[in-house]
Amino acid sequence: MKTCTVVCGYRPQLNTIEGDLIGTDRGCLYLALNGYKDFVAIGDFDSVNDDEYKIIKDNSRELIKLNPVKDDTDLEHTLHFLEERGYKKALIYGALGGRQDHNLLNIKLCLLSEISAVLMDSKHKIFSLAKGSYSIEKNNYRFLSLFVFEEAIVNLEGVKYPISFKKIGFKDLYTTSNEIVAESCHIDILEGRVLIVQCND
């Protein structure tokens, strides 16, 4: 699976780097100032000044400058770019914790993306799953929550509160704050798409 790590601009904390490095807007400056050189830089760069832009330009191996007057965000454009380049999975840092409208938009992008987009910060791992059977690793996260925005049928095993082939709707709220009881749990999604949030306090 062709994988990459995307770094956005809100206080990124790189815990794990997989595959190629992609910087998005001010996230490119973080990469350049922290010694990373072999990365692709994407953005309209309206969040950096001229000197910072030069640092990004001098340290990236490829720079894609977007028009600041556009209908998509820098991260949305980046995800489309990754899809075109054949990537199947992206770990995304620096996309959570800032403005709430940006948080919600980035979570929505995670849910709608054609590639496997995983939002990461110091407390969260957020990703979505379509129909299929999966193993979810605990990886030191205490809580596991499921959210649906369309009706889904889910079977969840290996957790404190199992779900047995149950239909879950948008108004169902009981699927939060579950816990994986061993090293991993198993989930079957028979219909719909599910947003998975693993987190700590």
Side-chain angles (χ1 to χ4, degrees):
M1 180 185 291
K2 190 175 180 182
T3 304
C4 66
T5 300
V6 176
V7 180
C8 301
Y10 187 81
R11 301 176 184 173
Q13 298 178 15
L14 287 176
N15 298 323
T16 302
I17 297 176
E18 293 185 13
D20 298 324
L21 267 176
I22 314 291
T24 298
D25 209 70
R26 194 169 181 84
C28 302
L29 184 64
Y30 171 90
L31 290 174
L33 294 178
N34 284 275
Y36 298 99
K37 293 183 180 294
D38 190 28
F39 64 91
V40 176
I42 303 174
D44 55 25
F45 302 106
D46 60 355
S47 63
V48 299
N49 60 38
D50 290 343
D51 291 336
E52 291 170 334
Y53 179 71
K54 185 177 186 307
I55 292 171
I56 292 169
K57 192 173 181 179
D58 290 345
N59 285 276
S60 59
R61 64 177 167 87
E62 181 180 359
L63 189 144
I64 300 168
K65 194 171 191 307
L66 307 176
N67 189 330
V69 182
K70 59 188 187 303
D71 292 329
D72 58 357
T73 65
D74 291 331
L75 180 56
E76 184 179 358
H77 192 97
T78 298
L79 290 173
H80 290 313
F81 166 85
L82 297 177
E83 185 183 346
E84 291 171 0
R85 292 283 178 102
Y87 290 95
K88 301 299 182 185
K89 179 181 178 183
L91 297 180
I92 304 171
Y93 293 91
L96 297 171
R99 284 170 44 183
Q100 289 302 313
D101 57 342
H102 286 178
N103 288 340
L104 291 170
L105 175 61
N106 292 338
I107 290 171
K108 188 175 180 180
L109 287 174
C110 171
L111 188 67
L112 297 175
S113 177
E114 293 297 322
I115 69 172
S116 175
V118 184
L119 301 175
M120 307 280 290
D121 68 9
S122 61
K123 292 184 177 182
H124 303 89
K125 179 180 182 182
I126 302 174
F127 56 99
S128 68
L129 297 173
K131 286 174 62 175
S133 296
Y134 309 90
S135 177
I136 300 176
E137 303 294 323
K138 186 171 185 176
N139 289 333
N140 297 315
Y141 291 104
R142 181 179 176 187
F143 299 110
L144 172 74
S145 296
L146 312 182
F147 297 92
V148 300
F149 298 89
E150 58 183 277
E151 200 168 80
I153 299 175
V154 174
N155 181 60
L156 183 62
E157 302 170 351
V159 293
K160 189 173 182 179
Y161 307 105
I163 299 172
S164 182
F165 297 98
K166 192 164 184 178
K167 187 180 291 184
I168 301 172
F170 178 72
K171 292 184 178 180
D172 289 317
L173 306 177
Y174 65 89
T175 56
T176 60
S177 297
N178 211 329
E179 297 181 38
I180 299 175
V181 296
E183 294 302 312
S184 65
C185 70
H186 179 82
I187 185 170
D188 300 298
I189 302 172
L190 284 73
E191 295 291 342
R193 193 173 188 90
V194 179
L195 185 73
I196 310 293
V197 179
Q198 292 183 262
C199 58
N200 292 313
D201 288 322

